[in-house]
Amino acid sequence: MAVVVVFIPILALLWKIVGFAILGLALLDAWKMYWTRPLRIERTVSNSLALGVWSEVSLQLRNPYLQTQKVELFDDYPPHSEFEALPQTLLVKPQRSVQTHYRICPEQRGNTQFSGTHLLTYSPLGIWKKYQYVKHENPIKVYPNFAALTKYTLLAMEDRLGQIGIKQLQRRGEGLEFHQLRDYRAGDSLRQIDWNASARIKKLISKEYQDERDQQIIFLLDCGRRMWTQDDALSHFDHTLNAMLLLTYVALRQGDALGLMTFSGDGPPRWLAPRKGLNSVNTVLNTVYDLQPSLKTSDYLNAAKQLITRLNKRALIIVVSNLRDEDHEELIPAMKLLQRRHLVLLASLQETVLNEVLDKPVNHFKDALRYAATHEYLLRRRQAHEALNRHGVLYLDTEPEHLPISLVNRYLEIKRSGAL
């Protein structure tokens, strides 16, 4: 019994010693962590990203100190972006570097930036964590998606544009603009034969023509409230910019000049005079990459009045909008004004949900009402487009995701028909 009584004070003393030792270690660990400086961080990322396209971001962490550092990091990526592989926990050995990666997908165009990196640094014994923020800014620009442009370029080089739906109408020897003389080929028409050249060299020589070059293509870009409509990850406005970018490249490759004017947006209209050369793609990108639709109602007539004062030469004017049947009364005068001198193509974006409603089975009364209302809406829409067609306006009614290829095909058809 006496042994137990003596042992209890000794055990209590040992617990105190252990407690003070742990407290001392914790305080020492806290003191060392207090003087711990943040790691040196360098970020590598492209200064221009594409909307809706995943891109890789690299972070290099450098530890210039004499002790291993364990950190949790979360990079301050641009707002309105999705991300993968964050946060991360890394171990950086003394006087060594560690490189890590994560991915982001921008969901909004315009100017933005990476601001810095959030760090949670572990103390040497791992008892404490210290929050640190390392500020290192990387300004970037988020452009419309130029992935389709890259794909078009690669397929055009390999003569495989049909894989993305672009129709290449093969036509031998006919066109609007003389290109060159060549040997006669079976199937050439008699009117292609150059009889004077054939007589000189005593064999049949044919004239070869190409589609007329040096024409003007002008985008009249609607920035009104309806362009906010969104069927998937992109708004109708974003789909329009992607289509405009692809057609810009195609038209410039054809030798045409491309320009644009915005209307019904916030601030004054943006105007880019028609210009040629593939370098103009960058000019178009930098003109529209930060544009966003406004909450204003689209004013087609005012836009037409402004545009005709800027153009001296006949052009193909492409108007892209999200039309309703009630737009008919205002739209017809605007189109007639443009048609006095120019050829007008009106592209209307159709909500994807409309076809989805028609594809769904009708099981209940509500389904039947929705089905009938959708049919009625599409009928009125079709009647509005037919009215435009009777006034000589070319129109294209398509879902947003199909707009780029549909617009390129219609442009090529117009070129080959000689209508412009």
Side-chain angles (χ1 to χ4, degrees), residues 184-250:
Y184 175 84
R185 298 173 187 166
D188 287 348
S189 62
L190 290 178
R191 64 178 181 175
Q192 284 182 245
I193 299 175
D194 187 320
W195 296 106
N196 292 330
S198 300
R200 284 196 302 270
I201 63 174
K202 297 182 180 180
K203 70 174 183 178
L204 290 178
I205 299 296
S206 291
K207 298 176 183 177
E208 188 171 77
Y209 295 86
Q210 64 183 7
D211 294 323
E212 188 176 347
R213 303 166 71 86
D214 198 28
Q215 295 176 321
Q216 290 190 159
I217 316 299
I218 307 295
F219 267 96
L220 192 55
L221 192 59
D222 184 2
C223 299
R225 57 184 174 83
R226 286 187 188 154
M227 300 303 281
W228 280 109
T229 303
Q230 192 162 339
D231 290 315
D232 50 28
L234 301 181
S235 67
H236 283 194
F237 192 73
D238 288 320
H239 281 291
T240 299
L241 293 184
N242 291 345
M244 183 181 71
L245 183 59
L246 180 60
L247 184 54
T248 294
Y249 183 78
V250 174

Side-chain angles (χ1 to χ4, degrees), residues 323 328 331-332 335-336 339 343-346 381-396 410:
L323 300 177
H328 179 265
L331 197 55
I332 292 297
M335 297 299 102
K336 284 185 175 179
Q339 283 180 297
L343 183 66
V344 181
L345 170 61
L346 181 61
R381 185 186 183 102
R382 187 162 53 252
Q383 289 172 343
H385 290 166
E386 290 173 354
L388 289 168
N389 192 35
R390 287 195 297 271
H391 286 87
V393 178
L394 304 176
Y395 72 86
L396 181 66
R410 182 57 64 90

Side-chain angles (χ1 to χ4, degrees), residues 151-152 154-170 405 408-409 412 416:
K151 187 174 183 180
Y152 175 89
L154 293 174
L155 292 176
M157 292 173 62
E158 300 176 7
D159 199 25
R160 293 189 291 122
L161 290 177
Q163 291 186 9
I164 58 174
I166 292 179
K167 301 174 183 177
Q168 294 178 282
L169 303 179
Q170 298 297 327
I405 301 304
V408 168
N409 282 331
L412 292 176
R416 286 158 184 157

